[in-house]
Amino acid sequence: MAIYRLRHGNICLAQRLLVLGLVAATGLAAQVIALKNVRLIDGTGGGPIENATLVLAGGKIRNVGPASRIKMPGEAEVVDLTGKTVMPGIINLHGHVGMVKGLSQDMVNYTRENAEAQLKTYAMYGVTTTTSMGTDAEVILDIRGEQRRGKVNGARVFTALQGFTTIGGYPTHAPGVKGVAQEVATAAQARAWVDRLADKGADVVKMWVDDHHETFEKLPPSVYSAIIEQAHKRGMLAFAHLYELADAKGLVNAGLDIIAHSIRDADVDDQLIAAMKKNKVTYVATLSREQSTFVYADSPAWLDDAFFRQGVDDATVQAVKTTLKAKQAQDPEREINIKGLEIAMKNLKKLSDAGVRIGFGSDTGPPARFSGYFEHWEMELMVKSGLTPSQVITAASKTSAEALGVGKDFGALEKGKAADLIVLNSNPLDNILNTRDIHSVYLAGRKFE
């Protein structure tokens, strides 16, 4: 199923019915659950609602609001959450599923079992939807299809299947990526590959436009413009991995929908800001991805934190503390990476202040970019960049759903939308670290176990 582009409106009736049916297919059980006495952060950016009630039924939010306005259904299972805070489930616009075990990245790891395990890890941490951006095996389509028919036992997934780069381009040097990333040389070839992905059922299109500090050839404008144009013709959004300001300008002017990484070589300028606002481009910072390129050399204390360790096995943690620590300590690009994060954080704040649409993503999934935990770390880094906790929560819910073109059914905790939510013991508006104080997660209206 293709994601439709709201700003262009090019979606056929069959696609629209599939999109609108996503939630209807998720919760066939008749169980009605009422969560009462909660502090509600609905994800729209407004203030919290104290003493709220949410009624969940059929995978959706049947009713929500102040308790005084909500009639409690007689058949409901009532859950008293006095003192708790409810926020929307996290929507991750940039992840990778299935290719990694421990610190090993290879397509041999991409089994149904491994992909499903990672989607369950996401859900355990309150990440209720993720995109898988360009390194997928086709088994992901089977999992996604079952989810949309009602079997939601892990984070919902959208997929780009295989992403685009130029011949021998970045990141074909990375373990397991050669032969997965589509290496295209011409606009005609790119258009044909976009059609092939659309026919297979990709939701979105992903491309890498990055020479990695002049190490690789870069996907040229003639080719990436053709990819974007053909993606739109097929009703798909176009995402781009990029690094440089100049490439961001070119891609935005070519019609790109989502910038999937921070601009890290220079400060963003008024020209780019104006183009992004005009074209309604969404910006995803992936700050945790940037810090992960150098942080392990300093043995971060969170490697022993209980919240982190619940999703990572001991052998992987030990490998990070030894092998990866030594590798990053000797990395010749370490200072470049540190400077890149500084620029990224500054650019995120400037873009947000200017009114550019800020989405949410972490680039989790590759080695040592840990699914679930990193999304909470991403929130922390966004706040450190100068955004408020409310802005970050909205970016990770309502805005990301809208950026994917599924805001009608997902994102904010509103009547009629998917009942994907996190129950917290503490208020994240007081401290964004409180998103880690998870009491429970509800996915498609059912408590995730």
Side-chain angles (χ1 to χ4, degrees), residues 5 15 75-76 84 135 173 184 189 241 263 275 294 313 316 327 329 354 389 392 426 428:
R5 304 181 71 247
Q15 289 172 329
E75 72 275 26
K84 310 298 184 187
T135 52
H173 70 294
V184 294
Q189 186 183 26
H241 165 120
I263 295 162
F294 59 85
D313 63 84
T316 300
K327 180 179 179 181
V392 172
S426 310

Side-chain angles (χ1 to χ4, degrees), residues 69 141 196 283 285 310 357:
R69 301 180 187 175
L141 296 173
R196 181 172 177 178
Y283 188 79
Q310 69 181 356
R357 185 161 69 173

Side-chain angles (χ1 to χ4, degrees), residues 171-184:
T172 56
H173 70 294
V177 177
K178 187 70 174 178
V180 178
Q182 303 302 313
E183 300 175 49
V184 294

Side-chain angles (χ1 to χ4, degrees), residues 209-432:
V209 183
D210 187 358
D211 60 15
H212 196 69
H213 314 305
E214 301 182 349
T215 305
F216 298 90
E217 291 296 319
K218 192 183 297 182
L219 196 68
S222 60
V223 177
Y224 71 58
S225 296
I227 292 170
I228 294 168
E229 182 179 341
Q230 196 66 21
H232 293 169
K233 285 182 179 179
R234 296 304 301 267
M236 293 187 291
L237 297 165
F239 287 62
H241 165 120
L242 56 79
Y243 188 95
E244 297 178 8
L245 175 62
D247 293 321
K249 290 180 177 180
L251 284 155
V252 168
N253 289 331
L256 185 73
D257 299 289
I258 298 179
I259 293 176
H261 283 295
S262 290
I263 295 162
R264 290 157 277 170
D265 72 318
D267 293 348
V268 295
D269 58 22
D270 292 342
Q271 183 183 42
L272 176 67
I273 289 170
M276 291 182 70
K277 292 174 71 174
K278 178 183 177 181
N279 294 341
K280 300 180 181 178
V281 177
T282 301
Y283 188 79
V284 178
T286 66
L287 301 173
S288 53
R289 183 266 183 201
E290 305 317 319
Q291 191 156 16
S292 75
T293 62
F294 59 85
V295 72
Y296 297 115
D298 298 322
S299 300
W302 51 260
L303 287 173
D304 293 313
D305 178 75
F307 184 68
F308 170 74
R309 293 295 291 265
Q310 69 181 356
V312 186
D313 63 84
D314 292 343
T316 300
V317 174
Q318 186 60 28
V320 169
K321 288 182 174 182
T322 54
T323 305
L324 186 55
K325 174 183 171 69
K327 180 179 179 181
Q328 288 196 350
Q330 300 300 318
D331 185 0
E333 296 181 353
R334 177 175 168 81
E335 293 305 317
I336 294 175
N337 293 336
I338 292 172
K339 181 63 175 176
L341 176 62
E342 293 173 359
I343 295 172
M345 294 176 76
K346 182 179 178 181
N347 282 338
L348 173 61
K349 173 62 172 171
K350 185 173 181 179
L351 290 167
S352 177
D353 288 350
V356 170
R357 185 161 69 173
I358 304 299
F360 181 86
S362 55
D363 199 10
T364 41
R369 302 210 288 268
F370 296 101
S371 303
Y373 181 82
F374 263 45
E375 281 69 32
H376 295 271
W377 188 20
E378 185 72 25
M379 289 184 168
E380 178 185 358
L381 290 172
M382 290 174 77
V383 169
K384 286 182 176 180
S385 298
L387 277 66
T388 68
S390 179
Q391 286 176 312
V392 172
I393 291 169
T394 300
S397 53
K398 179 178 183 289
T399 305
S400 288
E402 291 173 347
L404 270 177
V406 294
K408 182 182 183 298
D409 292 323
F410 294 95
L413 298 179
E414 298 174 320
K415 185 176 180 179
K417 294 189 177 182
D420 295 350
L421 55 91
I422 312 171
V423 181
L424 301 170
N425 293 312
S426 310
N427 184 357
L429 299 180
D430 294 336
N431 185 337
I432 198 63

